[in-house]
């Protein structure tokens, strides 16, 4: 024990007794930074002075001050002291140099977001690993958005989690840099102090990490005194006063406020450092709504366990927003776990009145050592395996249980916050008759009826559309990726079936659409012309399959396809130049761009066979480039429907030459855009420097925000007034604590004739209005997340076609429903219906089958339809190969099992989940009647 503390307590006890008996009127006892005790006593009896000094065994460094009541009245300092502090003043916390936040946590902070702190008294308890598992599980299984804050300042550890290559940590600014920059900068972008985890980990959810700080020891900075990021971090850490409660809490409150404003997460997870620390006092005892403590059964953990329980007990009795703590017995079996639980219960019983000491009964869990999980964050990490175990809930007992309990608490805390906000912002009831349900129902029927009658048919032949009418009626949806059509370094436009490649290609033939794209891309001051070098409708292309007749001639030519694509590009550009500039070709030729003409092909091969012709073509293209430059005009040669020119099975050999031609082109004014199917692009062989080619690709895969913006622009076009009316009447305060200023922005944009683009935060709220906040159970995420996830391909890309089919069929089901649900515009009972989800993918699948090279898909699906043995979300490698082998045998297909596997993979129907298993896309669940396998839950004690 410490003598000065024992003396302080004895004097305090003696003073309290004398005050209670009336021997003294007032007293103050304090301890300062020099560990001196100061005692002030107000009493009329002078004999008490000797009694107090001699009472008990006290140290010499105690200073007494005695005052009578008259003297007190004359002393302004002491009279004010007792007037403000009361008759009994006991102060010792101010003398602490550290741990003030642990020993005397404040209770005034009340959070408006779930904050969960992960704490362990000793290192090696699995704290950080469990945080990683919990955040990953909540993101993947529940679509949660989690912010992780690394508060282990002395030993930061989150730079090597959630990475593809753990040996190359992500170093970025973090908490320390934020705290100091916030003091000097008015506006802070948290993206500069955090990094988002790859979707490979978070899938439908989101995980973002705010590290302790940038601890990069290698990167040199242009500083003399502070040469590396690590020195900056340490200097910042040395200046951060964690014991200054008011200052540090203010910094954390500011951070939490910025996090909510910029990211709007479902929860914040804090990784607290081990031991008796101020940071635990701040994170767990002043900020958190729930604390998860990790302790072993060793007696070395007993002090930490006792302090943890005592601290949480005090907190629970002073803050109503704190939820029951979770106590985890790390790396234990059932026997150790029972002893651990008994120890905790005994400590709880020993703390004062059992009814008051621990208002919240803790949740108890335990887990055993897991070699797979112990390697998370190391070079030996098996990411695919542990993610697979999370998805299938196959982790050892305890890991997922803790995550489930945290998720449950997050839901309860969020509901409590919403309820409290509703009480604070209770609306004033106006005495008037509101439209109520009948008006809502009218709006509902009007909105759904209007958009259904004008529903777009994205399966229509893109070549047969009237694009001038599309433009004039505002049906063209200008996507962000379309702006890159004017970026000349990007010459490949890549997308799966249903992403709109052909629509985009054909739309560029329309001058008004092209000019609008130029305006949006800020290219109105430059002259750019698009030349369509492939035209299916006009039979303007040359199919390479017809060249097989001249195989001997082609073999003699050598490097034939390099020359073929050069000649084809030259001839088609010359044909399409009319109206751009005046340029006459000087090269005589006797072939034209047309398909299925043997004599024409013979002339083409004869032309290519002559080396002088190839040299002349190269010179003429260079001359054309020079002429275009003199006119300050750029031409973009665009190719689509290339599977008409080259059979899908031959892309791997014949398309690399076209890509290489443009990859290494040196023209200044002649550019290209190759519209390629993603599935076929993956098969191409012989491309030089594939990694650098990634910088040349425009991906037109639909993004989450984009697909919902497309839909709500459809609503805007055909039911604007009715939808605005419904949004105005929707009770947002019932489901969100967000301020309602966004509605003004929404109405302003929605009422504008121009195409509207909303950010995710507003799109989510519009989905609440249209589809309801949750489709069924909250576990499956909000409607915004659910709709996206349920139409996702296996490779996590998405097609707008099944998305719109799902909604179209839902509206049809609503219209045929005698007892219509009018809770929201399109309630979940319609879009979650099995029949709707089954039929939503039908046309999309049939469209896939019609693509060249995909014909075998129909045979595979037919076989699964008639064989329940293969109707599972997940198939083993043995089962998949068995299935494909039977399909090949039944239909006498020429493809191999590996070929069919590749067709399923590149079309986003199936993806490899691990070395031994495959998962179907959720999109096909009801189309194929897929189900989960029955598994016995693993129990490990």
């Amino acid at each position: 024990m410490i003598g000065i503390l024992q003396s302080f307590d004895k004097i305090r006890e003696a003073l309290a007794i004398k005050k209670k008996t009336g021997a003294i009127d007032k007293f103050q006892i304090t301890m300062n930074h020099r560990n001196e005790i100061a005692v002030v006593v107000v009493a009329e009896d002078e004999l008490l002075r000797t009694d107090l000094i001699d009472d008990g065994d006290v140290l010499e460094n105690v200073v007494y001050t005695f005052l009578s009541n008259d003297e007190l009245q004359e002393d302004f300092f002491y009279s004010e002291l007792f007037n403000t502090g009361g008759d009994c003043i006991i102060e010792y916390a101010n003398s602490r140099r550290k741990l003030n936040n642990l020993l005397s946590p404040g209770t005034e902070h009340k959070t408006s977001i779930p904050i969960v702190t992960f704490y362990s008294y000793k290192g090696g308890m699995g704290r950080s690993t469990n945080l990683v598992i919990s955040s990953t599980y909540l993101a993947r299984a529940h679509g949660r958005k989690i912010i992780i804050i690394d508060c282990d300042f002395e030993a930061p550890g989150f730079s090597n989690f959630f990475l593809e290559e753990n040996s190359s940590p992500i170093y970025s600014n973090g908490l320390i840099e934020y705290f100091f920059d916030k003091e000097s900068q008015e506006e802070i972008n948290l993206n500069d102090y955090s990094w988002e985890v790859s979707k490979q980990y978070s899938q439908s959810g989101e995980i973002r990490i705010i590290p302790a700080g940038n601890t990069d020891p290698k990167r040199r900075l242009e500083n003399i005194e502070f040469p590396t990021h690590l020195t900056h971090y340490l200097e910042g850490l040395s200046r951060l006063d964690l014991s200054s409660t008011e200052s540090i809490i203010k910094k954390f409150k500011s951070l939490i406020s910025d996090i909510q404003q910029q990211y709007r997460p479902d929860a914040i997870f804090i990784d607290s450092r081990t031991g008796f620390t101020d940071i635990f006092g701040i994170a767990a005892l002043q900020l958190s709504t729930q604390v998860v403590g990790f302790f072993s059964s060793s007696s070395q953990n007993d002090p930490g366990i006792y302090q943890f329980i005592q601290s949480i007990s005090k907190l629970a009795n002073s803050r109503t927003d704190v939820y029951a703590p979770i106590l985890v017995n790390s790396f234990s079996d059932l026997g150790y776990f029972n002893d651990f639980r008994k120890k905790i219960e005994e400590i709880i019983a020993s703390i004062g009145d059992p009814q008051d000491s621990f208002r919240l009964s803790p949740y108890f869990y335990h887990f055993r050592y897991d070699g797979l999980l112990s390697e998370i964050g190391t070079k030996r990490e098996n990411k695919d395996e542990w993610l697979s175990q999370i998805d299938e809930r196959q982790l050892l007992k305890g890991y997922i249980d803790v995550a489930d309990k945290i998720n449950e608490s997050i839901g309860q805390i969020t509901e409590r916050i919403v309820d409290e906000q509703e009480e604070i912002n209770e609306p004033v009831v106006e005495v008037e008759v509101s439209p109520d349900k009948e008006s809502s129902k009218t709006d509902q029927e009007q909105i759904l009826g209007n958009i259904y009658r004008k529903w777009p048919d994205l399966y229509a032949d893109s070549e047969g559309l009237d694009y001038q009418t599309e433009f004039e009626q505002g049906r063209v949806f200008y996507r962000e990726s379309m702006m890159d059509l004017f970026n000349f370094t990007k010459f490949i436009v890549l997308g799966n079936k249903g992403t709109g490649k052909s629509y985009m290609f054909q739309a560029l033939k329309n001058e008004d659409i092209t000019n609008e794209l130029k305006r949006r891309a800020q290219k109105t001051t430059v002259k750019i012309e698009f030349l369509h070098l492939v035209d299916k409708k006009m039979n303007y292309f040359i199919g390479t399959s017809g060249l097989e007749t001249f195989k001997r001639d082609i073999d003699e030519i050598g490097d034939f396809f390099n020359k073929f694509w050069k000649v084809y590009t030259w001839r088609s550009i010359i044909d399409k130049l009319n109206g751009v500039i005046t340029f006459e070709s000087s090269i005589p030729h006797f072939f034209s761009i047309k398909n299925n003409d043997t004599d024409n092909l013979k002339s083409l091969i004869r032309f290519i066979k002559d080396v002088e012709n190839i040299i002349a073509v190269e010179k003429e293209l260079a001359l054309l480039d020079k002429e275009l430059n003199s006119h300050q005009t750029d031409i973009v040669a665009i190719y689509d429907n290339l599977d008409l020119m080259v059979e899908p099975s031959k892309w791997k050999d014949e398309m690399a030459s076209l890509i290489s031609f443009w990859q290494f082109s040196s023209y200044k004014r002649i550019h290209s855009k190759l519209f390629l199917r993603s599935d076929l692009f993956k098969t191409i062989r012989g491309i030089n420097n594939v990694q650098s080619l990634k910088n040349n690709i425009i991906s037109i895969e639909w993004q989450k925000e984009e697909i919902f913006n497309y839909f709500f622009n459809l609503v805007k076009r055909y039911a604007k007034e009715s939808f605005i009316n419904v949004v105005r009447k929707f009770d947002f305060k019932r489901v969100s604590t967000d301020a309602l200023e966004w509605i003004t922005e929404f109405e302003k944009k929605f009422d504008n004739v121009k195409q509207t683009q909303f950010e995710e935060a507003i799109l989510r709220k519009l989905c609440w209005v249209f589809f309801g906040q949750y489709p069924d159970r909250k576990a499956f995420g909000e409607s915004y997340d659910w709709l996206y996830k349920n139409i996702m391909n296996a490779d996590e890309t998405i097609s707008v076609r099944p998305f719109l089919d799902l909604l179209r069929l839902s509206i049809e089901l609503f219209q045929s429903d005698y007892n219509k649900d009018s809770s929201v515009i399109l309630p979940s009972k319609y879009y979650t219906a099995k029949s709707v989800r089954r039929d939503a993918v039908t046309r999309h699948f049939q469209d896939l089958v019609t693509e060249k090279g995909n014909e075998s898909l129909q045979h595979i699906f037919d076989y699964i339809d008639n064989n329940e043995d293969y109707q599972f979300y997940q198939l083993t490698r043995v089962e998949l190969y068995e299935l494909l082998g039977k399909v090949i045998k039944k239909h006498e297909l020429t493809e191999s099992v590996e070929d069919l596997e590749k067709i399923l993979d590149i079309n986003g129907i199936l993806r490899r989940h691990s070395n031994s298993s495959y998962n179907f896309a959720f999109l096909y669940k009801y189309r194929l009647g897929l189900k989960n396998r029955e598994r016995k839950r693993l129990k490990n004690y």
Side-chain angles (χ1 to χ4, degrees), residues 856 859-860 863 870 880-898 900:
S856 299
H859 298 313
I860 298 171
Y863 200 92
Y870 304 106
L880 177 65
Y881 277 36
E882 180 183 78
L883 162 66
L884 299 180
K886 290 179 179 179
V887 170
I888 291 171
K889 182 177 181 180
K890 179 177 180 180
H891 297 280
E892 299 180 350
L893 303 180
T894 58
E895 295 103 320
S896 66
V897 167
E898 289 77 9
L900 294 187

Side-chain angles (χ1 to χ4, degrees), residues 137-332:
Y137 171 73
L138 264 58
R140 294 169 75 91
H142 300 285
R144 296 286 194 189
K145 180 185 286 188
I146 305 296
I147 304 293
I148 297 173
I149 303 177
D150 186 1
C151 285
D152 193 351
F153 295 120
E154 282 75 9
F158 269 87
S159 60
N160 62 321
F161 285 117
F162 298 112
L163 301 179
E164 286 293 301
E165 180 51 61
N166 300 104
S167 60
S168 301
I170 290 182
Y171 292 115
S172 78
N173 287 343
L175 212 52
I176 295 296
E177 291 85 358
Y178 168 87
F179 284 153
F180 285 95
D181 289 351
K182 185 70 174 178
E183 294 175 358
S184 58
Q185 299 178 17
E186 292 185 4
E187 294 186 5
I188 286 285
N189 184 346
L190 280 177
N191 289 342
D192 298 333
Y193 305 90
S194 65
W195 57 278
E196 184 179 351
V197 171
S198 167
K199 287 294 183 182
Q200 295 180 60
Y201 293 92
S202 58
Q203 287 191 342
S204 61
E206 183 176 319
I207 303 171
R208 180 171 287 274
I209 294 174
I210 300 178
N214 193 335
T215 57
D216 188 348
K218 297 180 180 179
R219 185 176 176 183
R220 306 297 294 181
L221 302 175
E222 295 180 1
N223 301 142
I224 297 175
E225 296 296 335
F226 316 115
T228 67
H229 285 294
L230 178 59
T231 54
H232 274 246
Y233 172 78
L234 293 174
E235 289 290 341
L237 181 59
S238 70
R239 288 162 173 76
L240 187 66
D241 186 2
L242 293 174
S243 63
S244 177
T245 302
E246 183 177 352
S247 172
I248 197 66
I249 291 298
K250 183 179 179 180
K251 292 179 187 293
F252 270 99
K253 283 184 177 181
S254 176
L255 172 65
I256 293 169
S257 176
D258 284 347
I259 288 174
Q260 287 183 275
Q261 186 174 354
Q262 184 164 344
Y263 299 126
R264 302 186 184 281
D266 293 303
I268 296 173
F269 286 0
I270 296 178
D271 188 38
S272 175
R273 65 169 304 207
T274 59
F276 297 134
T277 62
D278 271 302
I279 199 63
F280 172 66
I282 295 165
L285 306 183
Q286 304 219 40
L287 300 175
S288 295
T289 50
Q290 188 168 47
V291 184
V292 186
F294 297 84
F295 305 93
S296 74
S297 298
S298 168
S299 58
Q300 294 181 5
N301 275 262
D302 288 357
I305 294 173
Y306 183 88
Q307 180 61 37
F308 178 90
I309 293 172
Q310 189 176 54
S311 299
I312 301 298
S313 174
K314 291 178 181 178
L315 189 65
N317 287 308
S318 59
R319 278 179 55 188
T320 58
D321 62 330
V322 178
Y323 278 67
I326 297 173
L327 288 170
V328 182
N329 189 202
S330 303
F331 312 123
S332 65

